[in-house]
Amino acid sequence: MSEFAPDALRVGYVPGVIVAKWARRWSERFPDSPMDLIGVPQAEQDAALRDGRVDMCFVRLPIDRDGMHAIPLYRELPVVVVPKDHPISLFDEVTEADLADERMQDAGDIDELAGTVELVAAVGGAAVMPQSLARLHHRRDLVFRTVTDLPGTEVALAWPVERTTETVEEFIGIVRGRTERSSRSPSGRAKDVAAERDTPRRKEPGKRTSGGRGTAGRGNPGRGRPTRRRGR
């Protein structure tokens, strides 16, 4: 049984965010504390946090920061998705200017990108989206290429300020790569306190009582080292 067993944690994630590695580390560190992973539509990421459906959520910024903490984690590159036989497929990357004459399919709704990808495959054209979502909806008859001069999207871990519990702090530490012994995590602090309590205190040198051997001859010329007398 683990030394620190926080309550079960409900972690949400929007489409395209892979949370397996953090969930695995959590189960290794706290095997007695289950974690529920909950898929959250992009359009509902803020609501899911505020109405208590999840304790924390991997979101795409921006998000309403009022009463909310958010730790930016990484930035996703934008890519353009095109049919496999499209001229763009011959390049490793493109610019926005390269797309000027393309028939762009609407990719504004993150939660409906599966349909957008189907549309590109069926009637052609192109669609720009975060790289992780292009991978999520990948098809053999489509390819995607990085668009170098379009802004990327940022993935963050967010949670309500008022629900910053020890369990939440533990998961933050795991996501940030803190070790189990880190003094910034509740379990690490608890272990440090326990170690300090169980460690026997050592006596400081030179603190023996006046009658001991260690103080003989100190401050008392009548004892300890003999004095030399002159002969008569």
Side-chain angles (χ1 to χ4, degrees):
M1 187 170 182
S2 60
E3 296 182 18
F4 182 85
D7 298 330
L9 184 65
R10 297 167 302 159
V11 178
Y13 59 95
V14 295
V17 178
I18 306 300
V19 299
K21 66 177 180 179
W22 294 307
R24 182 175 63 253
R25 290 172 188 170
W26 177 269
S27 64
E28 291 170 352
R29 191 169 300 183
F30 304 114
D32 302 315
S33 301
M35 172 184 290
D36 296 330
L37 297 177
I38 303 170
V40 175
Q42 175 97 16
E44 299 178 21
Q45 61 181 14
D46 188 85
L49 285 164
R50 296 187 187 279
D51 64 21
R53 275 181 276 167
V54 295
D55 299 309
M56 313 179 76
C57 190
F58 290 93
V59 301
R60 281 192 181 85
L61 299 179
I63 191 171
D64 183 4
R65 296 295 188 95
D66 184 25
M68 198 78 66
H69 284 310
I71 302 173
L73 299 176
Y74 60 90
R75 182 172 292 275
E76 293 180 296
L77 295 174
V79 299
V80 59
V81 177
V82 294
K84 195 172 184 178
D85 58 356
H86 193 286
I88 283 179
S89 66
L90 301 176
F91 299 91
D92 293 328
E93 55 187 31
V94 296
T95 65
E96 187 176 14
D98 296 323
L99 307 177
D101 297 328
E102 296 296 330
R103 179 175 55 177
M104 303 302 297
Q105 306 292 355
D106 184 11
D109 190 342
I110 294 292
D111 299 317
E112 298 296 330
L113 285 184
T116 303
V117 169
E118 290 284 348
L119 191 59
V120 172
V123 302
V128 174
M129 61 189 68
Q131 186 178 50
S132 66
L133 290 168
R135 287 174 175 166
L136 178 65
H137 301 298
H138 177 65
R139 295 169 50 114
R140 291 185 178 180
D141 53 352
L142 299 177
V143 296
F144 58 86
R145 296 291 183 261
T146 302
V147 185
T148 59
D149 55 353
L150 285 179
T153 56
E154 197 160 24
V155 172
L157 178 62
W159 71 97
V161 173
E162 63 182 11
R163 294 205 293 273
T164 306
T165 63
E166 286 192 356
T167 310
V168 166
E169 288 183 352
E170 288 290 356
F171 188 67
I172 294 168
I174 286 176
V175 171
R176 283 185 157 176
R178 295 176 192 157
T179 65
E180 190 174 0
R181 295 290 305 184
S182 172
S183 61
R184 299 189 65 181
S185 66
S187 57
R189 292 194 296 268
K191 288 181 179 180
D192 288 343
V193 169
E196 184 177 354
R197 182 184 62 241
D198 297 338
T199 302
R201 296 183 179 276
R202 296 181 178 179
K203 293 182 179 181
E204 296 182 16
K207 294 295 183 180
R208 297 176 181 173
T209 60
S210 59
R213 295 173 58 187
T215 57
R218 296 183 182 176
N220 187 353
R223 301 180 62 182
R225 185 183 300 173
T227 58
R228 298 178 61 185
R229 295 183 180 180
R230 295 180 179 179
R232 293 182 179 179

